[in-house]
Amino acid sequence: MGFVSLLVVALMPVVEVLLVVLLGAYLASGRCNLLTAAARADINRVVYAVFTPALMLASLARTVTLQDAISWWFMPVNIGIIFLTGGVLGWVVVLLLRPPQHLRGLVVASCSAANFGNLLLIVIPAVCREDGNPFGSGDVCTDRGLSYASFSMALGGLYIWTHTNSVMKRSSELYRKTMITHDVHDPKDYLVRSDEEPCRKQDAEEDDGDEEEGDVVSLPSESSSGVHEKLLAPLPTTGDHQRSGCSNNTSGNSMWDKLKHGAHQIVEELTAPPTVGAVLGFIVGVVPWLRSTFVGNDAPLRVVQDSLKLLGDAAVPCVTLILGGNLTKGVRKTTVSRWVIAAIICVRYVILPMVGVVVIKSARTLGFLPPDPLYQYVLMLQFALPPAMSIGTMAQLYDVAQEECSVIFLWTYLMAALALTAWSTVFMLILAA
């Protein structure tokens, strides 16, 4: 496969995404005004509660068997390494560049969570259809590639809707608590105040009613490392804070409350609709009698599987349209700096792919991977993907950094055309060696 063919293969899925984004931007513009802010918020709720769970369940149930799950055991480890490495690098970006409070969760999420499913479902079959590809004949390669991509999408969704969802939710809560503490109604006003007044902690301590808030609010004077710890810590709800305000005087009660809050948050994230859909799909796929009941032309309940697939197919276009709609505001006004965007691009398309080469070559040397080169190619490609589009859904759900998220997505997906092409070539050369 030559460089020009690889360029076309890498460009096509990205161009498809950009075309739908442009359509969403037009529908949300003042000239059309069809995709309003309220409409985008409502569609996001449907994507979160219906389309994404259906997509997870249908894909896993159809493509993953028990034997596949056993032989592909390294893929969840690989995605975990990506999240860990990307999260640490995102934390370093926050430490060095110190973006505004409401962007810190977005930076960590953009560096750690990748588009593990949607792009792979488009890129892998496109690679398999190219003549002279190193992965075998088109039909066999496509079937195997779709199985790998579906498994990647489900596993990535499980990570994204637990870890990344928690990071974005906590970022939104901390930002709102900070604004309330500083009596700020306009986010831009808070950014000005945070520059002019490096420390407001004493003012908060003078007010006895604000003592409870002082324990959880990230003030401008606090270190970025403390902010990152708060982003990754379990998120107490407002009601929990009110119930536990008096118990902070006793360390035992405070510890017990923290444990209860943490357990409640973990249960809440694990019972999120996308996570439940992924778990159910995995169960249906690996249990033979359930799989034969729902999957296949002779399955008695195949209509359920077909209905879920029909719903799941709506997830990608809806999320991409909303992304374009948010972009209409993000282009005109955004607080994200060019250095933050450049840092995210560097993490996603330079550092992480190099880490991926080292990880996969080491795993192959140690015998952790099946001999299938397509499987190893998918594992490497996971390190070079742009940020997950689900981050945009979370930004819309929690009403935090929506415009900035759209701008980051615009540049990262534009750069994905060059990055995917270059790294695809490198990965194939490594696997062919």
Side-chain angles (χ1 to χ4, degrees), residues 5 8 86 91 121 172 202 284:
S5 298
V8 173
W91 172 56
L121 288 174
S172 174
Q202 293 179 352
V284 172

Side-chain angles (χ1 to χ4, degrees), residues 48 158 160-167 169-170 235 263-276 398:
Y48 173 77
L158 190 62
I160 289 169
W161 288 103
T162 51
H163 172 269
T164 306
N165 186 52
S166 178
V167 168
K169 184 177 180 181
R170 171 156 294 275
L235 174 63
H264 174 75
Q265 180 66 15
I266 292 173
V267 172
E268 182 179 334
E269 302 299 345
L270 291 178
T271 55
T275 307
V276 173
Y398 302 126

Side-chain angles (χ1 to χ4, degrees), residues 147-424:
S147 298
Y148 298 149
S150 298
F151 195 46
S152 172
M153 178 178 60
L155 292 173
L158 190 62
Y159 279 91
I160 289 169
W161 288 103
T162 51
H163 172 269
T164 306
N165 186 52
S166 178
V167 168
M168 293 293 291
K169 184 177 180 181
R170 171 156 294 275
S171 177
S172 174
E173 292 289 338
L174 288 175
Y175 180 52
R176 281 165 176 74
K177 290 178 188 296
T178 304
M179 292 180 63
I180 292 173
T181 300
H182 292 267
D183 192 23
V184 176
H185 301 286
D186 186 356
K188 293 182 178 179
D189 187 26
Y190 169 69
L191 295 177
V192 174
R193 293 190 188 187
S194 64
D195 291 334
E196 295 177 350
E197 304 176 28
C199 183
R200 295 283 302 275
K201 208 168 188 178
Q202 293 179 352
D203 295 339
E205 291 175 352
E206 291 175 358
D207 189 353
D208 294 336
D210 291 341
E211 288 181 359
E212 176 189 345
E213 292 281 342
D215 293 333
V216 296
V217 174
S218 174
L219 297 176
S221 62
E222 292 181 345
S223 65
S224 297
S225 60
V227 171
H228 181 68
E229 291 174 359
K230 288 182 176 65
L231 288 176
L232 300 182
L235 174 63
T237 62
T238 303
D240 293 332
H241 281 304
Q242 294 174 351
R243 291 192 296 271
S244 63
C246 298
S247 63
N248 289 335
N249 296 328
T250 304
S251 60
N253 290 337
S254 177
M255 181 60 68
W256 175 246
D257 288 336
K258 289 179 181 178
L259 291 174
K260 288 195 299 183
H261 297 156
H264 174 75
Q265 180 66 15
I266 292 173
V267 172
E268 182 179 334
E269 302 299 345
L270 291 178
T271 55
T275 307
V276 173
V279 172
L280 290 178
F282 185 80
I283 293 174
V284 172
V286 300
V287 178
W289 68 269
L290 282 176
R291 182 182 178 87
S292 62
T293 302
F294 291 95
V295 181
N297 295 329
D298 298 329
L301 297 180
R302 65 183 181 278
V303 65
V304 176
Q305 170 71 8
D306 294 339
S307 299
L308 290 172
K309 185 179 182 302
L310 183 64
L311 289 171
D313 290 341
V316 176
C318 286
V319 170
T320 313
L321 283 173
I322 293 169
L323 179 63
N326 291 337
L327 184 63
T328 58
K329 295 174 62 179
V331 171
R332 293 194 299 267
K333 55 176 183 178
T334 177
T335 58
V336 61
S337 73
R338 65 186 67 180
W339 294 109
V340 171
I341 297 175
I344 293 173
I345 290 174
C346 180
V347 168
R348 289 244 61 105
Y349 300 136
V350 179
I351 302 177
L352 280 178
M354 291 191 295
V355 173
V357 171
V358 175
V359 169
I360 302 307
K361 289 189 68 174
S362 301
R364 185 173 63 173
T365 302
L366 295 173
F368 292 161
L369 305 180
D372 185 4
L374 179 60
Y375 176 71
Q376 299 174 19
Y377 172 76
V378 171
L379 294 180
M380 286 186 175
L381 201 61
Q382 288 174 340
F383 283 88
L385 295 171
M389 288 192 293
S390 300
I391 298 174
T393 301
M394 297 170 193
Q396 187 84 30
L397 283 173
Y398 302 126
D399 192 22
V400 57
Q402 299 175 41
E403 296 84 6
E404 292 85 352
C405 180
S406 297
V407 173
I408 290 173
F409 273 36
L410 172 65
W411 290 106
T412 53
Y413 274 79
L414 281 174
M415 292 299 298
L418 297 176
L420 285 176
T421 300
W423 283 111
S424 293

Side-chain angles (χ1 to χ4, degrees), residues 100-111:
Q101 172 70 60
H102 68 295
L103 294 182
R104 293 172 182 176
L106 176 62
V107 171
V108 175
S110 299
C111 291

Side-chain angles (χ1 to χ4, degrees), residues 106-120:
L106 176 62
V107 171
V108 175
S110 299
C111 291
S112 59
N115 193 334
F116 293 108
N118 300 334
L119 276 183
L120 289 180

Side-chain angles (χ1 to χ4, degrees), residues 107-146:
V107 171
V108 175
S110 299
C111 291
S112 59
N115 193 334
F116 293 108
N118 300 334
L119 276 183
L120 289 180
L121 288 174
I122 302 173
V123 170
I124 300 301
V127 171
C128 291
R129 286 194 297 267
E130 289 293 328
D131 295 334
N133 75 82
F135 306 124
S137 61
D139 293 339
V140 177
C141 175
T142 300
D143 291 340
R144 288 188 290 115
L146 287 176

